Amino acid sequence: MVRIPKRINGSLQVLIEEVYRSGRMSRQVYLLMTATLLSGQKVSPEERQQIIRVLDSLKLGRLSMIN
């Protein structure tokens, strides 16, 4: 079970920047982002869009998954 922080807003931008900078995403970050979207947690429309963009990039092969 993934533990979802009550507010990830401050760290969300940092995580997204790190993912795009490195071109890789850890499974932990992937689970955090998907759990945030699916949890019903309040996130702004901009934050939701950023998460969706990152996950789309992963799906399209622009980012790679690491353990």
Side-chain angles (χ1 to χ4, degrees):
M1 176 147 255
V2 176
R3 202 171 236 195
I4 304 168
K6 294 209 184 292
R7 291 297 286 168
I8 64 163
N9 297 357
S11 62
L12 178 63
Q13 188 63 37
V14 173
L15 284 174
I16 290 172
E17 288 172 5
E18 176 63 23
V19 166
Y20 278 125
R21 185 192 63 73
S22 68
R24 301 183 296 180
M25 178 188 295
S26 70
R27 293 186 190 282
Q28 182 179 9
V29 171
Y30 173 80
L31 288 173
L32 176 66
M33 288 187 181
T34 55
T36 299
L37 286 178
L38 297 173
S39 70
Q41 180 177 333
K42 290 184 180 180
V43 291
S44 72
E46 294 83 18
E47 292 165 335
R48 179 175 296 283
Q49 192 60 37
Q50 286 180 325
I51 294 171
I52 291 169
R53 231 179 272 129
V54 170
L55 297 176
D56 284 345
S57 293
L58 181 66
K59 183 171 64 173
L60 293 172
R62 295 181 185 140
L63 300 171
S64 60
M65 179 73 73
I66 59 172
N67 287 331

